[in-house]
Amino acid sequence: MKGSSHIWVRLHRWRLKHLSERGFLTILSVVVGILSGFAAVIIKNTVRLTQKAVHSIVTTDVENYIYFALPVIGIFITVLFIKYVVRSEVRHGIPNVLHSISKLRGKIRSHNLYSSVVTSSLTVGFGGSVGLEGPTVATGTAWGSWLATAFRLNYKNTILMLACACAGAMAAIFKAPIAAIVFAVEVIMIDLTVFSLVPLLLASAAGVVTSYFFLGQDVLYPFEVKQAFIMADLPYYILLGITAGFVSVYFTKMYLFVGGLFEKLKNNRTRLVVGGTSLGVLIFLFPSLYGEGYEAINDCLAGNLEYLFDNSLFYELKEEIWVAMLLIAAVIFLKIVATSLTFGAGGVGGIFAPTLFMGVNTGMLFSLLVKQSGLHSINTNNFALIGMAGLIAGVLHAPLTGIFLIADISGGYQLFVPLMITGTFSYLIVRAFTPNSVYHIQLAQRKELLTHDKDANVLQLMEVRTMIETDFEVLRPDATLRDLTVAITKAHRDLFPVVEADGRMAGMVKMDDVRDVIFKHELYDEIKIKDLMYMPEYSIDPNDSMEVVTNKFEVSGRYNLAVIENGKYIGFISRARVFTRYRKQIINVSHV
């Protein structure tokens, strides 16, 4: 350990001497991109091998009854791995990254270097109804955080490395380098500056090239545009966007609702039984909910609806279009339930794949309803494709990611205009009902969410407790004016907190309020401090956010505000210290 530590120190010194900051970050972004690409390759192959092993063990004699057991077995092994090997909580990928940026200065626990790979592979490999994107991002960003720590990068460069890792991971798993950069900007909330653009481009390129080398260059969803955009379809793309928006609202509300139910179950064994059993029932009834659902998405894009009936109780009705439409509606509404049950039971995965699954089915159902109604003849395949962009724009609050990702992964750039229209309308609808995305909503509720508002971010990163000043002379309520004069000789402040023996704040005395009596020696022993003090109208709780603190300074017009916790005096915060800390913080988070 000492030898490896010495090597890192020497390497760190060498790079400080020979490389500029920008040059080093450029090199490091490529390394982070490659590592993120390897994370995607390893997760994809591990899941494939797990699925192959599972399917080789399972015989065809049991038919789809095995769906009752497979997901819960995978989740059970996942829970055991987390409990006895990792021995720490494995958080969902992207929310974990956002939390580390907001509250942990970009530090991600080292177990994430491998834990998400194993746990997501077990969860998805055995049929858990989640995706692999979140765990891939979690693994990539863990490596980015590890490198940032090893090379002692400051906060702003650490966050840049996390964004590079995110871009590299998304580029590798979807083979969509431009969409990956857009995702890092929209979802990870990094500011796209001239300084950050080159590292993001290089990391994304490194990630996708790594994926090409090991997984080939085929697009994720082969799609041939047989009919380009025509103006007559415009109203229907708008309606699809509105529909996708409302489905996205349902996605978010149901995800939070089911998650809230599982939070009430304190026992992990109970969660596993309830979640696993419920998930098994859903997958038994609707086998298309099994696993990530990428095969089902490709079938849907090709106009082949047999994925709804394969291994299903409804197989004999596969020629009935109305049955297919009912099944599509069912899997749209139940996919997020199955995903939430997978998470609730203890599984690890992402919501990107479920979002795409619900999106393609939403587009297909919408187009079938229009065609069956006789209102207009539309291309069902195009609408299925564009439905995916609508759900990404709505669920993730990331319209640009939806537009570029679907165009990238499908080769459907000829449909760029309807992608823009549907994505925009979906985003507008969902914003009216859910101000924050699934990734951001819990952080926003805890006031831990960073946004693209740099001022708000800087305030979010500032902590009240680190700015409390305690070098004030404290007086007791029963002290006299003489005691105050003694305190004045020692103090370099013009405020004097008055505190009870038990620490409770009784009030405060200002120099301006005692100038008329301070030189009247005959009153020194007659006037008590309790007769001179006043209780401030405004005070600060150390748990207040900096936004609250700055608002109190603005409203009160004061230069110092008392910090009181549960009635107990802690100290003061000055307007000058807040401003100074703000200026330092803005330098720490800004790239020139």
Side-chain angles (χ1 to χ4, degrees):
M1 292 297 289
K2 289 183 179 179
S4 61
S5 176
H6 183 63
I7 292 173
W8 278 113
V9 171
R10 292 182 62 184
L11 186 59
H12 179 64
R13 289 174 178 171
W14 180 88
R15 72 97 174 172
L16 288 175
K17 183 177 180 181
H18 295 90
L19 289 174
S20 66
E21 180 183 62
R22 292 198 177 194
F24 179 69
L25 291 176
T26 300
I27 296 171
L28 202 58
S29 66
V30 175
V31 175
V32 168
I34 292 172
L35 290 174
S36 299
F38 273 118
V41 171
I42 292 170
I43 287 179
K44 276 286 189 182
N45 283 313
T46 306
V47 169
R48 181 177 58 80
L49 292 173
T50 303
Q51 290 174 335
K52 186 177 180 180
V54 169
H55 292 156
S56 67
I57 296 173
V58 176
T59 64
T60 55
D61 298 335
V62 294
E63 298 180 347
N64 60 333
Y65 292 104
I66 195 63
Y67 291 135
F68 274 124
L70 283 182
V72 73
I73 292 173
I75 295 172
F76 177 65
I77 300 173
T78 298
V79 171
L80 291 179
F81 179 81
I82 293 173
K83 183 176 181 179
Y84 294 106
V85 179
V86 179
R87 297 182 180 179
S88 179
E89 182 182 6
V90 180
R91 294 175 176 265
H92 299 313
I94 294 170
N96 185 39
V97 176
L98 294 170
H99 178 264
S100 73
I101 292 173
S102 174
K103 305 305 292 183
L104 303 176
R105 300 189 63 79
K107 299 293 192 300
I108 296 177
R109 290 189 174 184
S110 57
H111 71 75
N112 288 283
L113 296 171
Y114 66 90
S115 59
S116 291
V117 174
V118 178
T119 54
S120 64
S121 299
L122 290 169
T123 300
V124 177
F126 278 82
S129 195
V130 291
L132 296 173
E133 305 77 22
T136 305
V137 170
T139 305
T141 51
W143 282 102
S145 176
W146 180 77
L147 286 172
T149 301
F151 287 106
R152 305 174 187 175
L153 299 187
N154 58 24
Y155 175 75
K156 63 184 178 184
N157 291 333
T158 297
I159 303 312
L160 177 58
M161 286 303 103
L162 296 189
C164 287
C166 176
M170 293 298 290
I173 202 164
F174 284 115
K175 300 177 184 177
I178 300 301
I181 296 173
V182 174
F183 179 81
V185 174
E186 276 196 307
V187 178
I188 302 301
M189 298 296 188
I190 183 175
D191 288 326
L192 186 59
T193 63
V194 175
F195 185 92
S196 62
L197 181 58
V198 171
L200 283 172
L201 284 168
L202 290 173
S204 184
V208 76
V209 168
T210 303
S211 180
Y212 284 161
F213 187 81
F214 290 97
L215 301 176
Q217 297 186 39
D218 295 334
V219 294
L220 194 60
Y221 301 114
F223 186 85
E224 182 181 353
V225 180
K226 296 180 179 179
Q227 180 181 334
F229 171 65
I230 56 177
M231 285 299 295
D233 289 343
L234 178 61
Y236 297 95
Y237 284 120
I238 294 174
L239 288 174
L240 175 60
I242 294 171
T243 302
F246 282 111
V247 174
S248 299
V249 173
Y250 166 77
F251 184 111
T252 303
K253 300 290 187 183
M254 181 58 69
Y255 178 81
L256 294 174
F257 174 73
V258 177
L261 293 179
F262 275 94
E263 285 182 3
K264 297 176 182 178
L265 302 176
K266 303 303 180 183
N267 188 287
N268 289 336
R269 187 177 302 174
T270 304
R271 289 184 176 188
L272 177 64
V273 172
V274 172
T277 303
S278 302
L279 179 63
V281 171
L282 281 183
I283 294 178
F284 170 74
L285 294 175
F286 305 97
S288 58
L289 299 177
Y290 183 88
E292 290 180 280
Y294 280 137
E295 294 82 3
I297 292 173
N298 276 325
D299 285 342
C300 188
L301 288 174
N304 177 14
L305 301 182
E306 290 189 6
Y307 68 92
L308 297 165
F309 299 94
D310 288 345
N311 298 315
S312 167
L313 299 175
F314 311 102
Y315 184 78
E316 300 298 328
L317 300 172
K318 67 178 182 177
E319 302 299 329
E320 301 290 341
I321 187 64
W322 64 270
V323 176
M325 292 169 66
L326 287 175
L327 286 177
I328 292 175
V331 298
I332 289 172
F333 287 101
L334 292 176
K335 180 63 175 181
I336 185 54
V337 178
T339 298
S340 301
L341 289 172
T342 303
F343 289 140
V348 175
I351 64 167
F352 222 104
T355 302
L356 294 173
F357 179 91
M358 289 176 64
V360 74
N361 281 285
T362 298
M364 177 58 73
L365 179 60
F366 178 88
S367 62
L368 289 175
L369 287 171
V370 172
K371 287 189 70 172
Q372 293 300 313
S373 68
L375 292 173
H376 185 63
S377 178
I378 58 179
N379 188 300
T380 56
N381 295 9
N382 287 358
F383 275 76
L385 176 73
I386 292 168
M388 293 196 290
L391 262 289
I392 292 173
V395 171
L396 308 185
H397 286 215
L400 292 177
T401 299
I403 293 166
F404 283 99
L405 181 65
I406 300 307
D408 250 359
I409 62 182
S410 65
Y413 276 95
Q414 296 180 57
L415 298 173
F416 213 80
V417 172
L419 282 170
M420 292 170 62
I421 293 169
T422 299
T424 301
F425 274 90
S426 175
Y427 178 69
L428 290 174
I429 291 294
V430 79
R431 284 282 296 181
F433 293 92
T434 55
N436 295 291
S437 74
V438 170
Y439 289 144
H440 301 139
I441 195 164
Q442 292 178 333
L443 292 173
Q445 289 172 349
R446 297 196 299 265
K447 298 187 183 299
E448 297 175 354
L449 177 63
L450 298 184
T451 68
H452 288 292
D453 185 336
K454 186 174 291 185
D455 287 335
N457 289 347
V458 170
L459 292 176
Q460 177 70 47
L461 293 169
M462 295 166 63
E463 296 183 7
V464 172
R465 292 185 186 274
T466 63
M467 289 181 286
I468 299 175
E469 301 172 62
T470 58
D471 55 338
F472 290 80
E473 293 296 323
V474 177
L475 299 170
R476 294 281 184 255
D478 57 355
T480 63
L481 184 58
R482 185 182 300 278
D483 296 319
L484 176 59
T485 60
V486 173
I488 290 173
T489 62
K490 301 177 182 178
H492 56 279
R493 304 288 189 134
D494 61 356
L495 281 176
F496 300 89
V498 183
V499 181
E500 302 280 3
D502 62 358
R504 288 186 301 109
M505 180 120 183
M508 56 191 288
V509 176
K510 285 196 306 182
M511 279 290 295
D512 288 344
D513 295 339
V514 298
R515 291 187 191 279
D516 58 335
V517 297
I518 197 69
F519 298 109
K520 295 180 180 181
H521 300 273
E522 67 276 11
L523 300 177
Y524 275 17
D525 296 314
E526 293 183 17
I527 297 179
K528 300 292 185 181
I529 292 299
K530 62 184 177 182
D531 299 323
L532 299 172
M533 71 182 186
Y534 70 96
M535 194 63 185
E537 181 182 357
Y538 295 94
S539 63
I540 296 171
D541 187 289
N543 297 310
D544 283 343
S545 68
M546 282 308 304
E547 184 178 2
V548 171
V549 172
T550 54
N551 286 338
K552 287 181 177 179
F553 272 115
E554 183 177 354
V555 172
S556 68
R558 301 291 186 184
Y559 291 95
N560 294 276
L561 290 177
V563 182
I564 303 173
E565 185 174 25
N566 299 322
K568 300 292 182 69
Y569 165 76
I570 305 294
F572 281 83
I573 289 182
S574 68
R575 185 192 293 258
R577 174 162 287 197
V578 170
F579 181 68
T580 301
R581 184 65 60 85
Y582 174 85
R583 291 182 63 187
K584 289 181 179 179
Q585 194 69 49
I586 201 99
I587 293 171
N588 288 338
V589 302
S590 299
H591 288 288
V592 179

Coordinates of all heavy atoms in Angstrom, one line a residue, residues 267-321:
N267 N -38.6 -4.2 7.2 CA -37.9 -5.4 7.2 C -37.5 -5.8 5.8 O -38.4 -5.9 4.9 CB -38.7 -6.5 7.8 CG -37.9 -7.8 8.0 OD1 -37.7 -8.5 7.0 ND2 -37.6 -8.1 9.2
N268 N -36.2 -6.0 5.5 CA -35.8 -6.4 4.1 C -36.4 -7.7 3.6 O -36.7 -7.8 2.4 CB -34.3 -6.4 4.1 CG -33.6 -5.1 4.2 OD1 -34.3 -4.1 3.9 ND2 -32.4 -5.0 4.6
R269 N -36.6 -8.6 4.6 CA -37.2 -9.9 4.2 C -38.6 -9.7 3.7 O -39.1 -10.3 2.7 CB -37.1 -10.9 5.4 CG -37.6 -12.3 5.0 CD -37.4 -13.2 6.2 NE -36.1 -13.2 6.7 CZ -35.7 -13.8 7.8 NH1 -36.6 -14.5 8.6 NH2 -34.4 -13.8 8.2
T270 N -39.4 -8.9 4.4 CA -40.7 -8.6 4.0 C -40.8 -7.9 2.6 O -41.6 -8.2 1.8 CB -41.4 -7.7 5.0 OG1 -41.3 -8.3 6.3 CG2 -42.9 -7.4 4.7
R271 N -39.8 -7.0 2.4 CA -39.8 -6.3 1.1 C -39.5 -7.3 0.0 O -40.1 -7.2 -1.1 CB -38.7 -5.2 1.1 CG -38.9 -4.0 2.0 CD -37.8 -3.0 1.9 NE -38.1 -1.8 2.6 CZ -37.3 -0.7 2.5 NH1 -36.3 -0.7 1.7 NH2 -37.6 0.4 3.2
L272 N -38.6 -8.2 0.3 CA -38.3 -9.2 -0.8 C -39.5 -10.1 -1.1 O -39.8 -10.3 -2.3 CB -37.1 -10.1 -0.3 CG -36.7 -11.2 -1.2 CD1 -36.1 -10.7 -2.5 CD2 -35.6 -12.1 -0.5
V273 N -40.2 -10.5 -0.1 CA -41.3 -11.4 -0.3 C -42.4 -10.7 -1.0 O -43.0 -11.2 -2.0 CB -41.8 -12.0 1.1 CG1 -43.1 -12.8 0.9 CG2 -40.7 -12.9 1.7
V274 N -42.8 -9.5 -0.5 CA -43.9 -8.8 -1.1 C -43.5 -8.3 -2.5 O -44.3 -8.5 -3.4 CB -44.2 -7.5 -0.2 CG1 -45.3 -6.7 -0.9 CG2 -44.8 -8.0 1.2
G275 N -42.4 -7.7 -2.7 CA -42.0 -7.2 -4.0 C -41.7 -8.3 -5.0 O -42.2 -8.3 -6.1
G276 N -41.0 -9.4 -4.5 CA -40.7 -10.5 -5.4 C -41.9 -11.3 -5.9 O -42.1 -11.6 -7.0
T277 N -42.8 -11.5 -4.9 CA -44.1 -12.3 -5.3 C -44.9 -11.5 -6.2 O -45.4 -12.0 -7.2 CB -44.8 -12.6 -4.0 OG1 -44.0 -13.3 -3.1 CG2 -46.1 -13.4 -4.3
S278 N -45.1 -10.2 -5.9 CA -45.9 -9.3 -6.8 C -45.3 -9.2 -8.2 O -46.0 -9.3 -9.2 CB -46.1 -7.9 -6.2 OG -46.6 -8.0 -4.9
L279 N -44.0 -9.1 -8.2 CA -43.3 -9.0 -9.5 C -43.5 -10.3 -10.3 O -43.8 -10.3 -11.5 CB -41.8 -8.7 -9.3 CG -41.0 -8.6 -10.6 CD1 -41.4 -7.5 -11.5 CD2 -39.5 -8.5 -10.2
G280 N -43.4 -11.4 -9.6 CA -43.6 -12.7 -10.3 C -44.9 -12.9 -10.9 O -45.1 -13.4 -12.0
V281 N -46.0 -12.4 -10.2 CA -47.3 -12.5 -10.7 C -47.5 -11.7 -11.9 O -48.1 -12.1 -12.9 CB -48.3 -12.0 -9.6 CG1 -49.7 -11.9 -10.2 CG2 -48.3 -13.0 -8.4
L282 N -47.0 -10.4 -11.9 CA -47.1 -9.6 -13.0 C -46.4 -10.1 -14.3 O -46.9 -10.1 -15.4 CB -46.5 -8.2 -12.7 CG -47.3 -7.2 -11.9 CD1 -46.5 -5.9 -11.8 CD2 -48.6 -7.0 -12.5
I283 N -45.2 -10.7 -14.1 CA -44.4 -11.2 -15.2 C -45.1 -12.5 -15.7 O -45.1 -12.8 -16.9 CB -42.9 -11.4 -14.8 CG1 -42.3 -10.1 -14.6 CG2 -42.2 -12.2 -15.9 CD1 -40.8 -10.2 -14.1
F284 N -45.7 -13.3 -14.8 CA -46.4 -14.5 -15.2 C -47.6 -14.1 -16.1 O -47.8 -14.8 -17.2 CB -46.9 -15.3 -14.0 CG -47.8 -16.4 -14.4 CD1 -47.3 -17.6 -14.9 CD2 -49.2 -16.3 -14.1 CE1 -48.2 -18.6 -15.2 CE2 -50.0 -17.3 -14.4 CZ -49.5 -18.5 -15.0
L285 N -48.3 -13.1 -15.8 CA -49.5 -12.7 -16.6 C -49.0 -11.9 -17.8 O -49.7 -12.1 -18.9 CB -50.4 -11.8 -15.7 CG -51.0 -12.4 -14.5 CD1 -51.8 -11.4 -13.7 CD2 -52.0 -13.5 -15.0
F286 N -48.0 -11.2 -17.7 CA -47.5 -10.4 -18.9 C -46.0 -10.6 -19.1 O -45.2 -9.8 -18.6 CB -47.8 -8.9 -18.7 CG -49.3 -8.6 -18.4 CD1 -49.7 -8.4 -17.1 CD2 -50.2 -8.5 -19.4 CE1 -51.0 -8.2 -16.8 CE2 -51.5 -8.3 -19.2 CZ -51.9 -8.1 -17.9
P287 N -45.6 -11.7 -19.7 CA -44.2 -12.0 -19.9 C -43.3 -10.9 -20.5 O -42.1 -10.9 -20.4 CB -44.2 -13.3 -20.7 CG -45.5 -13.9 -20.5 CD -46.5 -12.7 -20.3
S288 N -43.9 -10.0 -21.3 CA -43.1 -9.0 -21.9 C -42.5 -8.0 -20.9 O -41.6 -7.2 -21.3 CB -44.0 -8.2 -22.9 OG -45.1 -7.6 -22.3
L289 N -43.0 -8.1 -19.7 CA -42.4 -7.2 -18.6 C -41.1 -7.8 -18.1 O -40.4 -7.1 -17.3 CB -43.4 -7.1 -17.4 CG -44.7 -6.4 -17.8 CD1 -45.6 -6.4 -16.5 CD2 -44.6 -5.0 -18.3
Y290 N -40.7 -9.0 -18.5 CA -39.5 -9.7 -18.1 C -38.3 -8.9 -18.5 O -38.1 -8.6 -19.7 CB -39.5 -11.1 -18.6 CG -38.4 -12.0 -18.1 CD1 -38.5 -12.7 -16.9 CD2 -37.2 -12.1 -18.9 CE1 -37.5 -13.5 -16.5 CE2 -36.2 -12.9 -18.5 CZ -36.3 -13.6 -17.3 OH -35.3 -14.5 -16.9
G291 N -37.4 -8.7 -17.6 CA -36.1 -8.1 -18.0 C -36.1 -6.7 -18.5 O -37.1 -5.9 -18.3
E292 N -35.0 -6.3 -19.2 CA -34.9 -5.0 -19.8 C -36.0 -4.6 -20.8 O -36.5 -3.5 -20.8 CB -33.6 -4.8 -20.4 CG -32.4 -4.7 -19.5 CD -31.1 -4.5 -20.3 OE1 -30.6 -5.5 -20.9 OE2 -30.6 -3.4 -20.4
G293 N -36.3 -5.6 -21.6 CA -37.3 -5.4 -22.6 C -36.8 -4.9 -24.0 O -37.6 -4.4 -24.8
Y294 N -35.5 -5.0 -24.2 CA -34.9 -4.5 -25.5 C -35.4 -5.3 -26.7 O -35.7 -4.7 -27.7 CB -33.4 -4.5 -25.4 CG -32.8 -3.3 -24.7 CD1 -31.8 -3.5 -23.8 CD2 -33.3 -2.1 -24.9 CE1 -31.2 -2.4 -23.1 CE2 -32.8 -1.0 -24.2 CZ -31.8 -1.2 -23.3 OH -31.2 -0.1 -22.6
E295 N -35.6 -6.6 -26.5 CA -36.1 -7.4 -27.6 C -37.5 -7.0 -28.0 O -37.9 -6.9 -29.1 CB -36.0 -8.9 -27.3 CG -34.6 -9.5 -27.1 CD -34.0 -9.2 -25.7 OE1 -34.8 -8.6 -24.9 OE2 -32.9 -9.5 -25.5
A296 N -38.3 -6.8 -26.9 CA -39.7 -6.3 -27.1 C -39.7 -5.0 -27.8 O -40.6 -4.8 -28.7 CB -40.4 -6.3 -25.8
I297 N -38.8 -4.1 -27.5 CA -38.8 -2.8 -28.1 C -38.5 -2.9 -29.6 O -39.1 -2.3 -30.5 CB -37.7 -1.9 -27.4 CG1 -38.2 -1.5 -26.0 CG2 -37.5 -0.6 -28.3 CD1 -37.1 -0.8 -25.2
N298 N -37.5 -3.7 -29.9 CA -37.1 -3.9 -31.4 C -38.3 -4.6 -32.1 O -38.6 -4.2 -33.3 CB -35.9 -4.8 -31.5 CG -34.6 -4.0 -31.3 OD1 -34.5 -2.8 -31.8 ND2 -33.6 -4.6 -30.7
D299 N -39.0 -5.5 -31.5 CA -40.1 -6.1 -32.2 C -41.2 -5.1 -32.4 O -41.8 -5.1 -33.5 CB -40.7 -7.3 -31.3 CG -39.8 -8.5 -31.4 OD1 -39.0 -8.7 -32.3 OD2 -40.0 -9.4 -30.5
C300 N -41.5 -4.3 -31.4 CA -42.5 -3.2 -31.6 C -42.1 -2.3 -32.7 O -43.0 -1.8 -33.5 CB -42.7 -2.5 -30.2 SG -44.1 -1.4 -30.2
L301 N -40.8 -1.8 -32.7 CA -40.4 -0.9 -33.8 C -40.6 -1.5 -35.2 O -40.8 -0.8 -36.1 CB -38.9 -0.6 -33.6 CG -38.6 0.4 -32.4 CD1 -37.1 0.6 -32.2 CD2 -39.3 1.8 -32.6
A302 N -40.5 -2.9 -35.2 CA -40.6 -3.5 -36.5 C -42.1 -3.8 -36.8 O -42.4 -4.4 -37.9 CB -39.8 -4.8 -36.5
G303 N -43.0 -3.5 -35.9 CA -44.4 -3.7 -36.1 C -44.8 -5.1 -35.8 O -46.0 -5.5 -36.1
N304 N -43.9 -5.9 -35.2 CA -44.2 -7.3 -34.8 C -44.7 -7.3 -33.3 O -43.9 -7.1 -32.4 CB -43.0 -8.1 -34.9 CG -43.2 -9.6 -34.5 OD1 -44.3 -10.0 -34.3 ND2 -42.1 -10.3 -34.3
L305 N -46.0 -7.6 -33.1 CA -46.5 -7.5 -31.7 C -46.6 -8.9 -31.0 O -47.2 -9.0 -30.0 CB -48.0 -7.0 -31.8 CG -48.1 -5.6 -32.4 CD1 -49.6 -5.1 -32.4 CD2 -47.2 -4.6 -31.7
E306 N -45.8 -9.9 -31.6 CA -45.9 -11.2 -31.0 C -45.2 -11.2 -29.6 O -45.5 -12.1 -28.8 CB -45.2 -12.2 -31.9 CG -46.0 -12.5 -33.1 CD -45.4 -13.7 -33.9 OE1 -44.4 -14.3 -33.4 OE2 -45.9 -14.0 -35.0
Y307 N -44.4 -10.2 -29.3 CA -43.8 -10.2 -27.9 C -44.8 -10.0 -26.8 O -44.6 -10.4 -25.7 CB -42.8 -9.0 -27.8 CG -43.4 -7.6 -27.9 CD1 -43.8 -6.9 -26.7 CD2 -43.7 -7.0 -29.1 CE1 -44.4 -5.7 -26.8 CE2 -44.3 -5.7 -29.2 CZ -44.6 -5.1 -28.0 OH -45.3 -3.9 -28.0
L308 N -46.0 -9.5 -27.2 CA -47.1 -9.4 -26.2 C -47.7 -10.8 -25.9 O -48.3 -11.0 -24.8 CB -48.2 -8.5 -26.8 CG -47.8 -7.0 -27.0 CD1 -48.9 -6.4 -27.9 CD2 -47.6 -6.3 -25.7
F309 N -47.6 -11.7 -26.8 CA -48.3 -13.0 -26.7 C -47.3 -14.2 -26.3 O -47.8 -15.2 -25.8 CB -49.1 -13.3 -28.0 CG -50.1 -12.3 -28.3 CD1 -49.8 -11.3 -29.1 CD2 -51.4 -12.4 -27.8 CE1 -50.8 -10.3 -29.5 CE2 -52.4 -11.5 -28.1 CZ -52.1 -10.4 -28.9
D310 N -46.1 -14.0 -26.6 CA -45.1 -15.1 -26.4 C -45.1 -15.5 -24.9 O -45.0 -14.7 -24.0 CB -43.7 -14.7 -26.8 CG -43.6 -14.7 -28.4 OD1 -44.5 -15.2 -29.0 OD2 -42.6 -14.1 -28.8
N311 N -45.2 -16.9 -24.7 CA -45.3 -17.4 -23.3 C -46.4 -16.8 -22.5 O -46.3 -16.8 -21.3 CB -43.9 -17.2 -22.6 CG -42.8 -17.8 -23.3 OD1 -42.9 -19.0 -23.7 ND2 -41.7 -17.1 -23.5
S312 N -47.4 -16.3 -23.2 CA -48.5 -15.7 -22.4 C -49.8 -16.5 -22.4 O -50.0 -17.4 -23.2 CB -48.8 -14.3 -23.1 OG -50.0 -13.8 -22.7
L313 N -50.6 -16.3 -21.4 CA -51.9 -16.9 -21.3 C -52.8 -16.5 -22.5 O -53.8 -17.2 -22.7 CB -52.6 -16.6 -20.0 CG -51.9 -16.9 -18.7 CD1 -52.6 -16.4 -17.5 CD2 -51.7 -18.4 -18.6
F314 N -52.5 -15.4 -23.2 CA -53.3 -14.9 -24.2 C -52.8 -15.3 -25.6 O -53.2 -14.7 -26.6 CB -53.4 -13.4 -24.2 CG -53.7 -12.9 -22.8 CD1 -52.6 -12.4 -22.0 CD2 -54.9 -12.9 -22.3 CE1 -52.9 -11.9 -20.7 CE2 -55.2 -12.4 -21.0 CZ -54.2 -12.0 -20.2
Y315 N -51.9 -16.3 -25.7 CA -51.3 -16.7 -27.0 C -52.3 -17.0 -28.1 O -52.1 -16.7 -29.2 CB -50.3 -17.9 -26.7 CG -49.5 -18.2 -28.0 CD1 -48.4 -17.5 -28.3 CD2 -49.9 -19.3 -28.8 CE1 -47.7 -17.8 -29.5 CE2 -49.2 -19.6 -29.9 CZ -48.1 -18.9 -30.3 OH -47.4 -19.2 -31.4
E316 N -53.4 -17.7 -27.7 CA -54.4 -18.1 -28.7 C -55.1 -17.0 -29.3 O -55.7 -17.1 -30.3 CB -55.4 -19.1 -28.0 CG -54.8 -20.3 -27.4 CD -54.1 -21.2 -28.5 OE1 -54.5 -21.2 -29.6 OE2 -53.0 -21.8 -28.1
L317 N -55.0 -15.8 -28.7 CA -55.7 -14.6 -29.2 C -54.8 -13.7 -30.0 O -55.1 -12.5 -30.2 CB -56.4 -13.9 -28.1 CG -57.4 -14.7 -27.3 CD1 -57.8 -13.9 -26.0 CD2 -58.6 -15.0 -28.1
K318 N -53.6 -14.1 -30.4 CA -52.6 -13.2 -31.0 C -53.0 -12.6 -32.3 O -52.4 -11.6 -32.8 CB -51.3 -14.0 -31.1 CG -51.3 -15.1 -32.2 CD -49.9 -15.7 -32.3 CE -49.9 -16.8 -33.4 NZ -48.5 -17.3 -33.5
E319 N -54.0 -13.2 -33.0 CA -54.5 -12.6 -34.2 C -55.5 -11.5 -34.0 O -55.9 -10.8 -35.0 CB -55.1 -13.7 -35.1 CG -54.2 -14.9 -35.4 CD -53.0 -14.4 -36.2 OE1 -53.1 -13.5 -37.0 OE2 -51.9 -15.1 -36.0
E320 N -56.0 -11.3 -32.8 CA -57.0 -10.3 -32.5 C -56.3 -9.0 -32.2 O -55.6 -8.8 -31.2 CB -57.9 -10.7 -31.4 CG -58.6 -12.0 -31.6 CD -59.7 -11.9 -32.6 OE1 -60.1 -10.8 -32.9 OE2 -60.1 -13.0 -33.2
I321 N -56.6 -8.0 -33.1 CA -55.9 -6.7 -32.9 C -56.4 -6.0 -31.6 O -55.6 -5.3 -30.9 CB -56.1 -5.8 -34.1 CG1 -55.3 -4.5 -34.0 CG2 -57.6 -5.4 -34.3 CD1 -53.8 -4.7 -34.0

